[in-house]
DNA sequence: CAAAAAAGTGAATACAAATTCAAAAATTGA
DNA sequence: TCAATTTTTGAATTTGTATTCACTTTTTTG
């Protein structure tokens, strides 16, 4: 053989993959999964449609990976908060606030990731991810209940409720509507209070934790 | 003209329409919107595909109508509870419990109506309906806040949170999983407690209201 | 019954997008 | 530069349904 993948080529391939992912992510952020057709992704990436299939075996796989990356980043941030110091109530407040704020910053992407209908395969993945979000909250709850910080309750159910609560409260605002900052913060607070009270936590504690790590639910990952 | 629609024919037409709706509903209940293709609906109804288009201008319209009917029935039941006597807390508990129980009875249909991805037109309708559910709860909250029964809060946001909470908590159980009665009732209670506490309501009051009207979130509307 | 009109049929068509694949371009090492 | 090999291309194919429409059947009334 006279051809063996050079290092340079190796790099380019990896680079291509990343560019495809980035393009998909951007399209999803702008117009939801709906707008991220293979042809569009290819065009934005600057390659042919066939190329996409060299890197991803199907559109669903591509989507799942994009979804997974974005969600993974969020989970990481939340997990950090969940494992931080402070009472369960404080951590819960911080986590909810953090998630909601970030979602409001990248509304389209958040909508796509949380709600937008795609195909079954992607939806299955989404369900898994939602569950993951739930687990972060569940951990906080379990800890709080154990320490007597929170009243006894089914942490599984409560965690699901929490995820559902802020998620649904976001659907409206998350749409094309561009709310102003004031409204947003008000919403953040409403949701936070709701969730905290829901699990029987102590009254809120403003200005807790909340690391300001890299944005992930906004279109440009700079 | 030598032909004018007789009363009998009029009836048959209306009957056909209903049968199409019923067939669609049944298919959705069994396999989600996914399984309710025009061909399948036609077959189950016992008519040709072309017939469907005599009664509904598109599949989306058919779906929206099915969705609307089912949701409308639920809304009616909830509204009755919301307008009933009793404290806001009691009515809220009753409404949540009622919805969750009914959803658990017809899991597939509930899933389809609450979550299953279809097409944009249907999804838009679904959003509207979700909002409607929210409004029922909002009414209870506003009333409760006014009467000093519940602490001050943004009823809009809280209502959305409530809908999101029980909805999300249902997703898991709503799947193919067939939980037993005990688990179910436990879930119902967890959700109810969560929601009630979330809005700052008084501790629950077992066995309140809950009219046992006709089932609607179960496949057969007998 | 016969003609007029509507209801009903279902094979053919339209369609939108994902996926493939034969050919073209690019890369590599001698 | 050349031959071997891989990467890339994008038009053609596939796929799965929704939708249409020319035709058949039924209904109605004179």
């Amino acid at each position: 053989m006279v051809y063996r993948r050079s290092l340079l080529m190796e790099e380019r391939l990896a680079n291509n993959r990343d560019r495809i992912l980035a393009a998909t992510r951007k399209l999803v952020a702008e117009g939801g999964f709906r707008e991220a057709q293979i042809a569009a992704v290819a065009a934005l990436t600057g390659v042919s449609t066939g190329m996409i299939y060299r890197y991803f075996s199907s559109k669903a796989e591509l989507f799942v990976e994009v979804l997974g990356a974005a969600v993974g980043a969020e989970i990481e941030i939340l997990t950090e908060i969940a494992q931080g110091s402070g009472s369960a109530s404080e951590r819960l407040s911080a986590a909810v606030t953090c998630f909601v704020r970030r979602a409001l910053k990248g509304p389209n992407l958040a909508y796509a990731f949380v709600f937008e209908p795609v195909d079954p395969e992607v939806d299955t993945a989404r369900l898994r991810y939602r569950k993951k979000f739930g687990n972060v909250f569940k951990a906080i709850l379990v800890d709080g209940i154990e320490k007597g910080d929170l009243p006894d309750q089914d942490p599984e159910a409560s965690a699901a409720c929490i995820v559902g609560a802020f998620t649904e409260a976001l659907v409206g605002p998350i749409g094309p509507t561009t709310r102003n900052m004031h409204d947003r913060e008000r919403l953040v607070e409403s949701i936070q209070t709701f969730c905290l009270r829901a699990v029987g936590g102590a009254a809120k504690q403003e200005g807790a934790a909340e690391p300001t790590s890299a944005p992930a639910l906004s279109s440009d990952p700079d």
Side-chain angles (χ1 to χ4, degrees), chain A:
Chain A
M1 43 156 162
V2 204
Y3 181 106
R4 190 196 305 187
R5 226 181 243 175
S6 71
L7 216 67
L8 198 72
M9 180 51 88
E10 198 87 55
E11 244 170 59
R12 193 192 317 171
L13 292 188
N15 186 30
N16 277 349
R17 196 168 199 283
D18 288 347
R19 279 170 48 229
I20 292 171
L21 285 169
T24 308
R25 176 201 180 79
K26 187 166 185 211
L27 284 171
V28 171
E30 281 166 4
F33 285 107
R34 165 167 308 283
E35 296 297 317
Q37 299 124 327
I38 293 294
V41 170
L44 184 56
T45 309
V47 299
S48 66
T49 61
M51 267 293 275
I52 308 295
Y53 289 90
R54 170 170 295 279
Y55 296 93
F56 302 90
S57 68
S58 73
K59 194 175 80 146
E61 192 189 297
L62 170 61
F63 281 1
V64 168
E65 192 155 332
V66 167
L67 185 62
V71 169
E74 297 303 312
I75 296 272
E76 211 170 305
I77 294 173
L78 291 183
T79 302
E80 202 185 317
I81 294 177
Q83 294 173 342
S85 60
S87 69
S89 293
E90 282 165 359
R91 280 174 286 147
L92 181 65
S93 285
V96 169
T97 307
C98 177
F99 183 94
V100 173
R101 282 218 187 102
R102 290 173 61 77
L104 285 173
K105 261 184 210 163
N108 292 348
L109 202 57
Y111 177 77
F113 287 156
V114 179
F115 277 106
E116 193 194 352
V118 204
D119 63 291
E121 202 175 325
V122 179
D123 288 329
T124 304
R126 198 195 332 249
L127 273 212
R128 269 205 312 279
Y129 292 134
R130 270 173 170 265
K131 186 114 197 176
K132 267 195 175 176
F133 278 117
N135 285 339
V136 176
F137 289 98
K138 184 174 152 192
I140 300 179
L141 294 180
V142 167
D143 183 58
I145 295 167
E146 202 175 90
K147 293 209 177 105
D149 197 4
L150 299 179
D152 191 41
Q153 61 196 286
D154 177 353
E156 189 91 22
S158 289
C161 283
I162 290 173
V163 173
F166 61 65
T167 263
E168 175 87 17
L170 279 172
V171 177
I174 242 174
T177 329
T178 320
R179 293 200 166 197
N180 61 48
M181 262 317 176
H182 191 252
D183 278 357
R184 284 188 187 181
E185 273 312 307
R186 194 169 227 161
L187 180 67
V188 171
E189 201 192 308
S190 294
I191 296 174
Q192 186 238 47
T193 304
F194 178 96
C195 289
L196 194 53
R197 201 155 41 196
V199 298
K204 71 162 182 287
Q205 169 103 18
E206 209 21 87
E210 265 194 78
T212 346
S213 322
L217 271 183
S218 87
S219 38
D220 24 46
D222 45 7

